[in-house]
Amino acid sequence: MYIHYLRNVTSRRGAESGVQGLVGQGLTGQNRGNGPASPPEHPVQTGLTIDSLPADSALDGRGPLFDQIKRAVAGQILRGRWQAGQRLPNEAELSSLYGVSRQTVHKAIALLAREGFLVRRRRAGTFVATGRRDRFALPIEDIGDVVAREGRVYEFRIRDRRSLRNGEGIRWPDLPDGTPILALECLHFSDGTPIQHERRLVNLDVVPEVVDESFDVVAPSRWLVDRVPWSSADHTVRAVNATAEMAALLGVEAGAACLSIRRQTMHLSRPVTLVHFLSVGDRFTLSGSSITDSATELNL
């Protein structure tokens, strides 16, 4: 699974607050797609019809109608039921199907085109995108898998766990105040040596079942990777120096070079988790690759 590596991402809500929790941190869920690649001159798939739409393309009843239509259409693409190059029903047909105005359908389609899911061709119609521009991508994977690949023994320790509501001491910028969230703090080890500190928020409206998970055996990152779908993610990566508090936890000197990674994953425009990793610079390696196939990004 791969995500976009976004350079020089800044916060919509103000300056960062260091490593003191996730309050005011600069990761948000705004869309930053590079735009769709040009569609083929001759679509490789036949067009979709209203009669061919599956039952689960129905609206989910959550939020504005244009958002519901956007999720319904994107869901079929993410699940591979609508293939690259297929032409969508026109806006009038979709308007009739969903019982909404053409303006509402137009807004949903415009947003999907902006995010690279669809390509609109004048006079020809709207098609499922066949690809996106090259980009540098980083894998979303569990730190335990990284340690295991190096032939080392992985361990983790949950240091703190709290259920609260957004705005009660911690604010997740992309969630409304009052949204229930789970706050976790975790320390990761390789052969008994601490290599990474993790602070994580989980949206309980999207992942309510996480409250029943004890994390006695499975780390939060592993649990989420295995169980929770996501469709996009944003990263902010920068070099920092360890504060005295973080240095004590990670077993390094204050001021030691560390890698700070903030990541927010989304599923069809809904934030799933917001996490901040702080890794010891000489104990952690970050790598990725250049990709062009959008199928590696459209994970469900």
Side-chain angles (χ1 to χ4, degrees), residues 62-127:
R62 302 194 313 265
L65 286 171
F66 72 87
D67 260 345
Q68 294 184 47
I69 294 170
K70 177 186 171 186
R71 285 195 296 271
V73 173
Q76 302 309 312
I77 297 171
L78 292 169
R79 293 180 179 91
R81 294 171 183 166
W82 292 8
Q83 299 297 315
Q86 282 189 307
R87 183 175 61 246
L88 268 65
N90 62 39
E91 291 183 2
E93 292 174 312
L94 290 173
S95 173
S96 176
L97 172 68
Y98 292 120
V100 300
S101 69
R102 289 188 61 174
Q103 183 179 7
T104 298
V105 169
H106 180 82
K107 184 173 183 179
I109 296 302
L111 288 171
L112 287 167
R114 185 183 307 167
E115 294 176 18
F117 287 100
L118 302 175
V119 175
R120 295 190 292 182
R121 298 178 60 197
R122 193 173 182 179
R123 300 189 188 91
T126 300
F127 300 85

Side-chain angles (χ1 to χ4, degrees), residues 162-170 178-183 201 204:
R162 288 177 289 154
S163 294
L164 63 158
R165 293 190 174 273
N166 194 35
E168 296 178 354
I170 292 177
T179 302
I181 56 178
L182 178 67
L201 302 180
L204 293 181

Side-chain angles (χ1 to χ4, degrees), residues 30-225:
Q30 59 187 328
N31 296 314
R32 301 180 182 86
N34 288 326
S38 297
E41 285 300 318
H42 302 286
V44 297
Q45 302 287 339
T46 58
L48 295 160
T49 66
I50 293 297
D51 292 338
S52 71
L53 299 183
D56 61 359
S57 65
L59 304 185
D60 57 25
R62 302 194 313 265
L65 286 171
F66 72 87
D67 260 345
Q68 294 184 47
I69 294 170
K70 177 186 171 186
R71 285 195 296 271
V73 173
Q76 302 309 312
I77 297 171
L78 292 169
R79 293 180 179 91
R81 294 171 183 166
W82 292 8
Q83 299 297 315
Q86 282 189 307
R87 183 175 61 246
L88 268 65
N90 62 39
E91 291 183 2
E93 292 174 312
L94 290 173
S95 173
S96 176
L97 172 68
Y98 292 120
V100 300
S101 69
R102 289 188 61 174
Q103 183 179 7
T104 298
V105 169
H106 180 82
K107 184 173 183 179
I109 296 302
L111 288 171
L112 287 167
R114 185 183 307 167
E115 294 176 18
F117 287 100
L118 302 175
V119 175
R120 295 190 292 182
R121 298 178 60 197
R122 193 173 182 179
R123 300 189 188 91
T126 300
F127 300 85
V128 177
T130 59
R132 299 183 183 178
R133 296 177 184 173
D134 286 350
R135 70 220 48 206
F136 185 72
L138 297 174
I140 288 185
E141 59 182 343
D142 175 49
I143 184 65
D145 293 338
V146 176
V147 173
R149 278 203 305 270
E150 296 174 348
R152 302 178 185 275
V153 177
Y154 169 71
E155 299 173 274
F156 71 97
R157 181 188 309 154
I158 300 293
R159 300 191 70 250
D160 188 41
R161 173 181 182 145
R162 288 177 289 154
S163 294
L164 63 158
R165 293 190 174 273
N166 194 35
E168 296 178 354
I170 292 177
R171 172 160 279 108
W172 188 339
D174 290 306
L175 285 186
D177 283 355
T179 302
I181 56 178
L182 178 67
L184 296 163
E185 181 185 1
C186 187
L187 199 59
H188 303 274
F189 299 83
S190 174
D191 280 351
T193 300
I195 59 170
Q196 187 179 82
H197 178 264
E198 172 186 339
R199 291 188 189 274
R200 182 183 295 274
L201 302 180
V202 183
N203 182 355
L204 293 181
D205 277 349
V206 175
V207 197
E209 62 271 25
V210 72
V211 297
D212 297 321
E213 174 55 49
S214 65
F215 297 119
D216 290 335
V217 177
V218 181
S221 55
R222 173 81 273 165
W223 189 91
L224 287 163
V225 165

